[in-house]
Amino acid sequence: MKLLSNIFIPLLFVLPFLSCSSDTKTLEERLQVVLDESIEDIDGRGTSAAVIMPGKPIWKGVAGISHDTISISPDMFFAIGSITKNFVATLTLKLAEEGKLSLDDSLHNWLPAYPHVDSTITIRQLLNHSSGIYMFWSNERIWDDLRKDRTKVWTPEEVLSYIKGPYNFAPGEGFRYSNTNYLLMAMIIEKATGSNLSTEFRKRFWQPLGIENAYLSIEEEIPDNLAHVFGDNFNDDGSVQDLTYLPRASHESITYGSAGLFMTAEDLAVWCHALFEGKVLQPRSLEEMLEFREIGFGRKNRGIGLGVERFVKRMSSGETALGHGGANIGTSASMVHLPDHHISVVVMINSFNHDCSQAIRTDLITTVLKENNVIGIIPYFDFIPWGVMMIAGALFIAIALALWILRKRKKRSQ
């Protein structure tokens, strides 16, 4: 009996990592704790989140402050930034289903020639950022001109005049994230439909899915119940002010096609779930969206599809996770779908703090996976290879201790 105790007592140091939590809180309470603790610990201002799980109503949670003493509420709108690209890519695939365009169409099929834009680039290469086109934000002159008149509505042609050469790489030969790709895509969509993005979004997406809280800036009036945002308004002077209702037409028009949507967390979660559960696109179109270019190696490996990313595995305990992240003036947002478990998670915060929004996202996913008993026993690492390595290490230590104790006892008995 003493031998058994000598062997297994050391395992007490390992068992806390291998055992499940005895937390008696409900799942909803534990999800709320994630929001409350993250906002307090990671320098966030306020957050709104939503989670969709099989067989359960949509969970909505909020924490923190919008402004003054006004708390964040679930009906508040947040700018979702580059998550807008996912909607533009989905709309493009819908138009391809209808024969209005092809993903393999070259730019010269739709647009005139522009300096530093290779007209042989295809729509597919725009959508997966393999075009090699310069990112217009990288030209400091556009920021200087933006600050001169924040009420100006820029035309796409004006924005394209800030593109520089040379190309990052030949079309299709690499990956470089560029808002220019989605500005060009928006221009093609307008040509193909004879309409604009907001009209097509509302007709093809919002109305069929029952989404009532989604608006595209510049083309639509954004409701007043915005989560307030703060910053220096790109003045680079360290000042902090409430930017919520200050003029921003120049910024919003420059990012047309690549950003601009304002949504609630609940409706973005509804979109995310509908899209990746196959309720928006035909199966073949969704497959094309999810044909990923591999980026990075090992723990940094991720995939880039058409307006969608396959995230690194460490943020979802080794589970496959699809979606997109985004940011805008004073906001950071993320939408994630776990296809193997039919779970969708959306997080929005009203501060430009990706560390905070990503930490909330990861912790919400971890909490939901643990509830469904599908999480690896090392929840904050990739199960493969890090989880396996840690389990193997713990077992090796336990076996080594047991053998050492057996040898000592054998020597004493001789």
Side-chain angles (χ1 to χ4, degrees):
M1 188 60 116
K2 186 177 179 182
L3 174 61
L4 290 175
S5 65
N6 286 337
I7 293 173
F8 287 107
I9 284 176
L11 288 177
L12 293 176
F13 295 98
V14 178
L15 287 175
F17 296 99
L18 305 182
S19 62
C20 296
S21 171
S22 59
D23 193 346
T24 58
K25 293 185 178 71
T26 66
L27 173 60
E28 290 75 15
E29 289 171 336
R30 283 184 278 122
L31 292 172
Q32 185 61 49
V33 168
V34 169
L35 301 189
D36 294 335
E37 292 183 349
S38 296
I39 284 297
E40 182 176 347
D41 296 342
I42 319 177
D43 193 28
R45 182 179 295 274
T47 182
S48 181
V51 178
I52 299 179
M53 299 166 280
K56 294 180 179 290
I58 297 178
W59 177 82
K60 296 173 287 183
V62 294
I65 298 299
S66 168
H67 60 287
D68 299 329
T69 59
I70 306 300
S71 298
I72 295 289
S73 62
D75 64 341
M76 284 184 175
F77 286 80
F78 289 71
I80 66 171
S82 286
I83 299 177
T84 303
K85 292 181 176 70
N86 177 255
F87 294 86
V88 172
T90 306
L91 177 54
T92 304
L93 286 161
K94 290 290 286 184
L95 296 176
E97 290 175 357
E98 298 167 9
K100 290 183 167 59
L101 52 74
S102 168
L103 298 184
D104 297 316
D105 285 348
S106 298
L107 295 189
H108 64 69
N109 294 113
W110 293 98
L111 301 175
Y114 295 104
H116 309 300
V117 176
D118 185 340
S119 291
T120 68
I121 289 168
T122 66
I123 286 175
R124 191 186 305 274
Q125 290 165 348
L126 295 179
L127 296 179
N128 66 14
H129 298 288
S130 65
S131 70
I133 299 176
Y134 181 85
M135 165 73 122
F136 58 76
W137 276 140
S138 300
N139 188 339
E140 184 59 35
R141 191 165 57 87
I142 200 171
W143 291 96
D144 295 337
D145 292 342
L146 179 154
R147 287 187 283 262
K148 290 176 184 176
D149 183 1
R150 299 180 189 274
T151 65
K152 175 182 175 179
V153 176
W154 291 57
T155 66
E157 289 75 17
E158 287 176 315
V159 178
L160 292 174
S161 71
Y162 289 83
I163 297 175
K164 293 180 179 180
Y167 301 105
N168 294 308
F169 44 79
E173 296 299 319
F175 166 78
R176 185 71 175 269
Y177 190 90
S178 176
N179 285 349
T180 311
N181 292 320
Y182 278 76
L183 173 62
L184 291 166
M185 195 63 245
M187 296 167 70
I188 292 172
I189 288 172
E190 290 185 343
K191 283 280 187 71
T193 62
S195 182
N196 56 26
L197 291 183
S198 60
T199 300
E200 295 301 312
F201 286 164
R202 196 157 298 280
K203 177 176 67 175
R204 297 172 183 275
F205 300 151
W206 311 157
Q207 293 174 356
L209 295 175
I211 290 175
E212 298 179 351
N213 301 295
Y215 296 87
L216 185 66
S217 59
I218 293 301
E219 294 181 354
E220 298 178 298
E221 184 176 351
I222 309 300
D224 290 334
N225 57 323
L226 293 167
H228 282 224
V229 295
F230 299 80
D232 68 357
N233 212 18
F234 306 115
N235 290 319
D236 298 326
D237 58 4
S239 62
V240 177
Q241 58 180 316
D242 191 333
L243 309 177
T244 312
Y245 297 112
L246 295 182
R248 56 190 288 168
S250 56
H251 180 274
E252 299 300 300
S253 58
I254 286 172
T255 58
Y256 184 69
S258 62
L261 276 172
F262 286 68
M263 299 182 73
T264 61
E266 179 180 11
D267 273 351
L268 182 55
V270 168
W271 164 261
C272 179
H273 206 69
L275 174 62
F276 294 118
E277 290 289 304
K279 298 178 181 177
V280 178
L281 294 170
Q282 295 175 7
R284 177 55 192 151
S285 296
L286 187 56
E287 287 175 10
E288 287 199 278
M289 173 177 272
L290 302 181
E291 290 177 358
F292 293 105
R293 297 173 61 89
E294 298 299 321
I295 308 294
F297 301 94
R299 298 186 73 216
K300 294 184 178 181
N301 174 255
R302 59 193 178 109
I304 302 298
L306 307 184
V308 65
E309 178 177 349
R310 189 192 66 234
F311 294 102
V312 293
K313 288 189 174 182
R314 67 177 177 271
M315 59 80 67
S316 54
S317 296
E319 301 297 314
T320 299
L322 313 173
H324 211 293
N328 205 316
I329 298 173
T331 65
S332 177
S334 184
M335 73 169 193
V336 180
H337 182 73
L338 280 64
D340 294 336
H341 309 292
H342 310 286
I343 294 168
S344 295
V345 176
V346 162
V347 174
M348 302 172 170
I349 66 172
N350 63 331
S351 60
F352 193 78
N353 184 342
H354 290 312
D355 289 342
C356 182
S357 63
Q358 290 171 5
I360 295 172
R361 175 190 69 187
T362 296
D363 288 348
L364 289 176
I365 290 171
T366 299
T367 302
V368 173
L369 288 175
K370 289 173 76 173
E371 175 72 12
N372 286 273
N373 298 314
V374 294
I375 190 170
I377 61 176
I378 311 295
Y380 297 106
F381 296 87
D382 289 349
F383 186 76
I384 297 176
W386 303 108
V388 171
M389 290 172 62
M390 293 182 73
I391 295 169
L395 291 174
F396 176 81
I397 292 171
I399 292 169
L401 282 170
L403 292 173
W404 179 74
I405 292 169
L406 285 169
R407 287 195 198 100
K408 285 193 67 175
R409 290 181 63 85
K410 187 175 181 180
K411 285 182 180 180
R412 288 175 183 171
S413 64
Q414 289 177 344

